């Protein structure tokens, strides 16, 4: 019956539900196994068995992977006869993301429970407590050490492809999965070609589910399907974000992922100079380009270190200017390097409205993006640039940046800011190092 229900048109399902009494509609609302697609159910249920310790769900945007993750955790927690044996780790890209998506989101844990079964969220402790004593604890993927010590019977990891320190966090989690007869973990993520995801795909104890955005079309707004899906269908970005494909480097990319990976470090040495580079958008609003903001420093070892990607999406001028000044102060930078091709003198004026004392170097592009980027890519090949940690969005742009000056068919705002930062640090005439009073 469940398969017949899922095979029926959305309007037919809506008609059936509208004909039910209110309490009957409420019953179906929380009966996920009845209306879920097969790719949203655990492998043992959807595929008739299988021995797995990790369930990797690679899904496109809006494919229903968050709902699947929340329902999996809900079932584990409610099935626990002794809540003390059910300890679940909820790991998000940040604590804020874990709370807003995994717990309080429209498809999060609080939303998928019947009122009488719903766990209590204790914000101060960052945990969920079920009536039967089961507990789920929130963790940030930015803090691997927070996973040192606690032990779990299960874990739900969301958007692992965007974690800044995936290998460290994953390793700490594996040490903690030691409660119960069969500890298991679920990963819900939009795919990115990072080493950890590739290793999971090769693990015989990892069950893999792929779910494209189109599989959940019945529950998505028609405008989203027309504008976003229609616009990016068939493109490289669409294949990753909508079709849940893991894509390797483009053949003509300046920065192969293997090169970036080889130049990754955990910490930077003492820095002689630090700059904040900004590539402002030509306009603001919902359709504007992002404002690329990259922080980088020059070490005492004469290598450059990329310290932060603070890019702002659809930011107004004062918003990105405040972000630049905040980064200047936080990293004790020497100057802000700002491209002025689009905004001219207005760019520097906006920054000085926030803080008139901040040194600003205005730079103007006189060559194409590819030609400006080639000398910077050469620095990577020479081993003279390293990334302190991981910057998934920046690195996605770098690995897909081609001779057309675009990345995934769009303006490479992060790459532009990166090029300006490293050009200022490594490819200009030497600048007197900053002096600090101790």
């Amino acid at each position: 019956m469940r398969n017949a229900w899922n095979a029926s048109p959305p309007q037919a399902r809506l008609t059936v539900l509208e004909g039910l009494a209110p309490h009957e509609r409420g019953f179906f609302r929380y009966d996920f196994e009845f209306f879920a697609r097969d790719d949203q159910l655990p492998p043992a249920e959807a595929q008739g068995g299988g021995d797995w310790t990790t369930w990797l769900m690679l899904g496109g945007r809006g494919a229903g992977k968050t709902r699947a993750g929340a329902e999996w955790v809900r079932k584990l927690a409610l099935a626990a006869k002794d809540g003390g044996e059910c300890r679940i780790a909820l790991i998000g890209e940040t604590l804020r993301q874990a709370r807003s998506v995994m717990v309080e989101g429209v498809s999060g844990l609080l939303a998928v429970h019947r009122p009488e079964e719903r766990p209590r969220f204790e914000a101060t402790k960052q945990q969920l407590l079920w009536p039967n004593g089961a507990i789920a604890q929130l963790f940030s993927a930015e803090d691997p050490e927070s996973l040192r010590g606690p032990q779990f019977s299960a874990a739900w990891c969301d958007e692992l492809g965007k974690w800044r320190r995936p290998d460290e966090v994953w390793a700490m989690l594996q040490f903690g999965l030691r409660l119960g007869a069969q500890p298991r973990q679920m990963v819900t993520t939009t795919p990115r070609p990072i080493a950890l995801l590739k290793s999971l795909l090769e693990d015989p104890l990892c069950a893999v589910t792929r779910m494209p955005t189109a599989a959940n079309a019945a529950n998505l707004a028609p405008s989203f399907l027309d504008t976003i899906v229609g616009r990016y269908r068939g493109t490289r970005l669409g294949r990753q974000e909508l079709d849940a494909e893991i894509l390797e480097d483009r053949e003509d990319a300046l920065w192969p992922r293997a090169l970036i990976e080889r130049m990754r470090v955990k910490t930077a040495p003492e820095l002689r100079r630090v700059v904040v580079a900004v590539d402002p958008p030509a306009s603001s609003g919902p359709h504007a380009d992002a404002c690329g903001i990259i922080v980088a420093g020059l070490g005492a070892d004469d290598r450059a270190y990329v310290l932060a990607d603070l890019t702002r999406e659809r930011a107004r001028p004062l918003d990105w200017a405040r972000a630049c000044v905040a980064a200047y102060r936080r990293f004790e930078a020497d100057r802000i390097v700002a491209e002025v091709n689009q905004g001219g003198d207005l760019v520097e004026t906006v920054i000085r409205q926030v803080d008139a004392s901040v040194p600003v170097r205005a730079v103007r592009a006189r060559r194409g993006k590819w030609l400006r980027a080639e000398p910077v890519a050469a620095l990577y090949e020479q081993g003279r640039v390293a990334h302190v940690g991981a910057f998934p969005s920046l690195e996605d742009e770098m690995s897909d940046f081609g001779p057309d000056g675009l990345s995934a068919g769009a303006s490479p705002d992060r790459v532009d800011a990166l090029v300006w930062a490293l050009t200022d640090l490594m490819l200009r005439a030497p600048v007197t190092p900053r002096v600090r009073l101790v």
Side-chain angles (χ1 to χ4, degrees):
M1 183 178 178
R2 188 180 73 82
N3 289 335
W5 170 265
N6 283 325
S8 62
Q11 188 57 45
R13 284 183 262 170
L14 181 62
T15 301
V16 172
L17 291 176
E18 288 178 343
L20 299 176
H23 72 279
E24 293 173 322
R25 287 199 298 271
F27 175 81
F28 279 103
R29 173 185 176 186
Y30 295 107
D31 188 7
F32 182 68
E33 292 185 8
F34 180 73
F35 63 78
R37 306 188 311 270
D38 281 350
D39 59 8
Q40 290 180 297
L41 297 176
E45 298 172 41
Q47 301 169 12
D51 184 21
W52 55 271
T53 58
T54 302
W55 178 18
L56 173 60
M57 180 175 285
L58 299 173
R61 300 284 188 94
K65 54 187 181 294
T66 301
R67 180 65 187 269
E71 291 285 356
W72 182 70
V73 170
R74 167 181 173 263
K75 186 172 183 179
L76 289 177
L78 296 180
K81 296 180 181 179
D82 178 2
E85 291 299 316
C86 186
R87 294 290 184 271
I88 305 169
L90 304 176
I91 309 175
E93 181 185 358
T94 63
L95 274 178
R96 182 177 180 180
Q97 287 291 316
R99 176 172 176 173
S100 64
V101 176
M102 304 171 77
V103 176
E104 297 178 332
V106 293
S107 298
L109 282 161
L110 296 181
V112 302
H113 283 77
R114 301 179 193 277
E116 66 274 13
E117 300 171 337
R118 189 168 296 146
R120 182 176 73 254
F121 180 51
E122 299 178 339
T124 56
K125 297 181 179 180
Q126 296 293 342
Q127 68 179 19
L128 289 162
L129 181 62
W130 276 262
N132 67 354
I135 294 177
Q137 183 74 44
L138 276 66
F139 295 92
S140 168
E142 294 186 333
D143 184 13
E145 290 301 309
S146 65
L147 287 159
R148 186 186 295 274
Q151 53 186 353
F152 315 102
S153 55
W156 172 22
C157 306
D158 190 49
E159 291 300 350
L160 182 147
K162 295 174 64 179
W163 290 3
R164 287 195 58 191
R165 305 165 71 179
D167 296 312
E168 295 174 67
V169 177
W170 188 259
M172 287 295 101
L173 174 61
Q174 304 316 297
F175 287 122
L177 279 170
R178 55 180 186 263
L179 284 182
Q182 189 178 26
R184 283 178 164 178
Q185 55 203 342
M186 180 181 184
V187 177
T188 53
T189 187
T190 302
R192 281 191 167 96
I194 64 172
L196 178 55
L197 283 182
K198 292 179 182 179
S199 67
L200 289 177
L201 288 171
E202 297 174 357
D203 185 350
L205 293 180
C206 178
V208 181
T209 300
R210 298 179 185 271
M211 46 197 312
T213 300
N216 200 36
N219 297 309
L220 299 174
S223 59
F224 175 81
L225 296 172
D226 292 340
T227 58
I228 303 301
V229 177
R231 177 180 177 183
Y232 292 103
R233 182 184 290 114
T235 67
R236 184 178 178 85
L237 182 63
R239 289 170 60 195
Q240 173 178 284
E241 301 294 321
L242 302 175
D243 298 333
E245 295 183 34
I246 292 185
L247 302 178
E248 299 296 337
D249 301 323
R250 54 186 292 174
E251 293 181 0
D252 54 1
L254 277 179
W255 288 280
R257 287 187 184 272
L259 174 62
I260 300 172
E261 203 67 42
R262 190 165 68 243
M263 304 311 298
R264 198 182 309 285
V265 297
K266 292 183 179 180
T267 59
E270 180 184 352
L271 299 174
R272 293 189 290 150
R273 292 184 57 218
V274 174
V275 298
V276 178
V278 54
D279 176 49
S283 61
S284 59
H287 302 295
D289 291 334
C291 178
I293 304 175
I294 299 295
V295 184
L298 179 63
D301 57 358
D302 289 325
R303 299 174 75 204
Y305 293 85
V306 180
L307 305 174
D309 174 10
L310 304 174
T311 298
R312 293 291 187 270
E313 302 284 347
R314 296 176 293 279
R316 294 174 298 179
L318 272 178
D319 292 335
W320 59 252
R322 291 190 183 103
C324 290
V325 172
Y328 170 84
R329 294 170 179 161
R330 172 186 166 192
F331 289 92
E332 299 182 340
D334 299 275
R335 66 163 58 97
I336 294 175
V337 180
E339 181 182 319
V340 298
N341 283 56
Q342 302 290 351
D345 294 339
L346 179 62
V347 173
E348 186 172 349
T349 300
V350 173
I351 294 174
R352 297 203 182 284
Q353 285 180 359
V354 179
D355 188 338
S357 67
V358 173
V360 178
R361 167 179 275 174
V363 291
R364 186 177 296 276
R366 291 182 171 82
R367 297 184 298 166
K369 296 177 185 292
W370 177 267
L371 291 177
R372 297 200 310 272
E374 278 186 313
V376 173
L379 295 175
Y380 280 79
E381 294 175 355
Q382 295 163 8
R384 298 174 63 193
V385 182
H387 288 196
V388 183
F391 308 104
S393 297
L394 168 63
E395 292 165 12
D396 283 351
E397 276 195 10
M398 294 171 68
S399 66
D400 198 60
F401 178 70
D404 57 1
L406 300 176
S407 179
S411 175
D413 308 294
R414 289 175 168 84
V415 168
D416 281 344
L418 173 77
V419 168
W420 287 123
L422 296 179
T423 297
D424 191 88
L425 290 171
M426 304 284 285
L427 299 175
R428 290 185 181 275
V431 176
T432 303
R434 56 183 177 171
V435 178
R436 299 202 178 281
L437 300 179
V438 179

